[in-house]
């Protein structure tokens, strides 16, 4: 592991877009600065067999992307218009190896999901374009005022805010469209 654990209070929303190009055009119009190029994020959520973390509405995630991995704990979301929760994250050198260690101590991967993400920043708001198997989303992360400002600049209001997780969105789409039962949201 590398040194450095980052603890923050994460505040975010998602906004649905029709396509990656529509989302990219909208983000470009904001004048945001690109910070991270498009790449595949392969995420695995872990829990004990008894579902302790899920019952507490907490998340333990191992993310693998471009040879770099991160371990993240997210506390339960606070009620509100935006998703707000504690986040503790550290970079790790070998995500697959850490998954093996976790499995040996009894943690299980209960959900795996993938997305292509590219990131931008403007006025301390991180703007991410997420291409997922269940659609395209722009995620805004930052202060409440910054999120509200950029959501408005994207032509959206608080009625458009999505605070559900990608797993929640996946399950809704799977059930609404009577898709084959699968527990993971991954690209074919």
């Amino acid at each position: 592991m590398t040194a450095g654990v980052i603890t923050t209070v994460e505040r975010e929303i998602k906004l649905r877009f029709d396509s990656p190009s529509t989302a990219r055009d909208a983000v470009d119009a904001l004048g945001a600065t690109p910070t991270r190029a498009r790449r595949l994020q392969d995420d695995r959520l872990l829990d004990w067999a008894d579902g302790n973390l899920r019952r507490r509405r907490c998340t333990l995630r191992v993310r693998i992307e471009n040879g770099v991995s991160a371990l993240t704990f997210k506390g339960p979301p606070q009620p509100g218009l935006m998703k707000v929760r504690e986040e503790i994250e550290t970079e790790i050198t070998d995500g697959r190896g850490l998954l093996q260690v976790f499995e040996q101590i009894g943690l299980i991967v209960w959900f795996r999901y993938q997305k292509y993400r590219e990131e931008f920043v403007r006025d301390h708001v991180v703007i991410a374009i997420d291409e997922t198997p269940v659609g395209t989303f722009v995620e805004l992360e930052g202060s409440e005022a910054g999120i509200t400002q950029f959501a408005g600049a994207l032509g959206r209001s608080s009625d458009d805010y999505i605070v559900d997780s990608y797993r929640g969105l996946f399950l809704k789409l799977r059930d609404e469209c009577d898709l084959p039962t699968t527990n993971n949201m991954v690209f074919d």
Side-chain angles (χ1 to χ4, degrees):
M1 286 190 183
T2 57
V5 173
I6 300 170
T7 302
T8 61
V9 174
E10 172 187 63
R11 176 180 288 104
E12 67 181 25
I13 63 161
K14 295 176 185 71
L15 301 169
R16 185 180 293 276
F17 278 78
D18 292 334
S19 69
S21 61
T22 304
R24 204 166 287 107
D25 290 345
V27 170
D28 286 346
L30 296 176
T33 303
T35 56
R36 298 195 66 196
R38 183 179 183 269
R39 74 253 180 228
L40 179 67
Q41 293 183 330
D42 194 356
D43 294 344
R44 288 163 177 86
L45 303 184
L46 298 112
D47 201 348
W48 304 104
D50 67 2
N52 181 3
L53 291 172
R54 284 175 279 176
R55 270 196 316 281
R56 293 175 27 218
R57 300 185 65 214
C58 297
T59 301
L60 181 64
R61 178 186 72 205
V62 173
R63 170 171 287 163
I64 300 169
E65 62 175 295
N66 289 342
V68 177
S69 301
L71 174 65
T72 307
F73 171 82
K74 295 185 180 204
Q78 301 170 15
L81 191 59
M82 300 177 184
K83 184 186 281 185
V84 179
R85 63 197 310 188
E86 176 188 35
E87 180 178 272
I88 304 168
E89 185 168 80
T90 189
E91 187 176 302
I92 54 177
T93 57
D94 184 0
R96 294 189 199 292
L98 184 61
L99 286 167
Q100 290 177 332
V101 169
F102 282 160
E103 288 172 7
Q104 289 299 313
I105 64 170
L107 286 165
I108 58 168
V109 174
W110 64 274
F111 183 60
R112 178 179 173 209
Y113 64 105
Q114 296 175 328
K115 64 182 175 287
Y116 286 96
R117 172 172 275 190
E118 58 188 296
E119 292 174 90
F120 305 79
V121 69
R122 177 150 181 226
D123 299 336
H124 307 289
V125 174
V126 176
I127 304 160
I129 299 172
D130 289 342
E131 302 168 49
T132 79
V134 297
T136 301
F137 300 87
V138 169
E139 186 176 277
L140 301 175
E141 183 176 338
S143 70
E144 184 174 348
I147 290 171
T148 302
Q149 174 189 346
F150 286 113
L154 290 167
R156 307 299 177 89
S157 72
S158 60
D159 292 338
D160 300 307
Y161 292 4
I162 299 169
V163 295
D164 207 349
S165 67
Y166 281 120
R167 181 172 191 275
L169 294 170
F170 165 72
L171 292 176
K172 284 179 189 173
L173 181 70
R174 187 187 73 184
D175 295 344
E176 288 171 5
C177 297
D178 199 28
L179 299 173
T181 302
T182 179
N183 292 328
N184 295 312
M185 185 183 87
V186 295
F187 295 101
D188 292 329

